[in-house]
Amino acid sequence: MALRSALINAMANAARKAQRSLIRDFNEVENLQVSKKGPSDFVSAADRKAEKVLHQELAKLRPDFGFVMEEGGRIEAKDGKHYWIIDPLDGTTNFLHGIPHFAISIGVKREDDLIAGVILDVVRDEMFWAEKGGGAFLNDRRLRVSARRQLPEALFATGIPFNGKPGHAPFLKEISSVMGEVAGIRRMGAAALDLAYVAAGRYDGFWEAGLSPWDIAAGIVIVREAGGLVSDLAGSDRMLETGGVIAANDALHTPLRKLLAK
């Protein structure tokens, strides 16, 4: 059995409490689909409620840490260097439509270094976790990125810009460049889980632009600890600043980046 540090245990326990809240609310979404108003307001409330649970639990466990949150914004760290980076509901649109593919994501940054991550698939009850230097795990099983070496064998994941989000034209060029070279492309709608799936070898790679730190912080740690490479779209280590990410195994990261650069 994998031994979890006190930090990982704290993150896992907080995620479990928020999971219970989200499961209860997700079970209500289907009942609201037929209403004239629709479930959008309800889902926003579920998102905020889960974030409140995470904030309360994590602040109690590590009171000196600051927060970077999707809903609650930034709270400065009392120790000046540690931050929780949390997304209480990654895959909001899936949740809204009753699709059981969404996650809780908690990352930890120490100064400029991402040091730990937990991603909990709320419905499947799969917990992906990693701490810098300690390897990556799914529940208690060690994770490794895939061993596929050639693009024609590779299955990649991505995110598609939606209504009101910029980047439609560049994305169409990207996907046109990639899809003719690979075995397939998937768009599942939860970037944290896309990264977790790369770490687990389910996907051979993932790319997306326009993401926020809370979408990717935990996943970056998990992919790296599973033996993968992560960069922004330009190949640098500035994913949290640029919002772009490419994650893959060591053989496919550069070929994927070159395809996207076209």
Side-chain angles (χ1 to χ4, degrees), residues 18-28 95 102 122-123:
Q19 178 189 27
R20 291 193 286 271
S21 172
L22 286 176
I23 286 289
R24 285 194 299 269
D25 289 336
F26 185 65
N27 289 334
E28 293 297 320
F95 188 101
F102 52 90
V122 172
V123 176

Side-chain angles (χ1 to χ4, degrees), residues 47-212:
D47 197 341
R48 290 193 297 271
K49 185 164 47 174
E51 184 174 274
K52 184 178 180 181
V53 170
L54 291 172
H55 180 218
Q56 288 176 340
E57 290 301 312
L58 294 171
K60 184 167 54 179
L61 294 163
R62 291 289 192 276
D64 290 339
F65 285 21
F67 284 85
V68 179
M69 299 179 286
E70 182 179 17
E71 300 292 335
R74 182 183 177 94
I75 299 173
E76 294 301 327
K78 293 177 183 176
D79 70 1
K81 59 183 180 180
H82 286 93
Y83 284 88
W84 303 110
I85 306 177
I86 63 175
D87 190 343
L89 178 52
D90 182 61
T92 307
T93 302
N94 286 346
F95 188 101
L96 173 65
H97 288 268
I99 298 170
H101 188 79
F102 52 90
I104 296 163
S105 178
I106 309 171
V108 181
K109 188 169 83 161
R110 182 173 59 213
E111 296 177 334
D112 293 325
D113 197 16
L114 291 167
I115 62 168
V118 164
I119 296 171
L120 176 59
D121 184 324
V122 172
V123 176
R124 293 183 187 86
D125 201 36
E126 291 186 325
M127 183 172 288
F128 304 85
W129 58 276
E131 194 165 8
K132 189 173 181 179
F137 298 85
L138 166 52
N139 297 330
D140 291 318
R141 178 173 63 84
R142 184 71 179 261
L143 292 181
R144 292 296 297 176
V145 293
S146 79
R148 295 183 186 89
R149 317 304 286 175
Q150 304 296 325
L151 284 173
E153 305 171 344
L155 179 66
F156 290 143
T158 189
I160 301 173
F162 47 84
N163 181 30
K165 189 173 182 180
H168 291 223
F171 174 77
L172 290 175
K173 292 179 181 178
E174 288 174 0
I175 202 164
S176 178
S177 176
V178 174
M179 66 183 180
E181 304 289 335
V182 303
I185 298 174
R186 299 290 181 266
R187 195 275 195 250
M188 299 291 283
L193 286 176
D194 288 334
L195 287 164
Y197 279 24
V198 172
R202 298 173 181 177
Y203 294 144
D204 301 296
F206 164 69
W207 89 93
E208 189 170 351
L211 295 168
S212 299

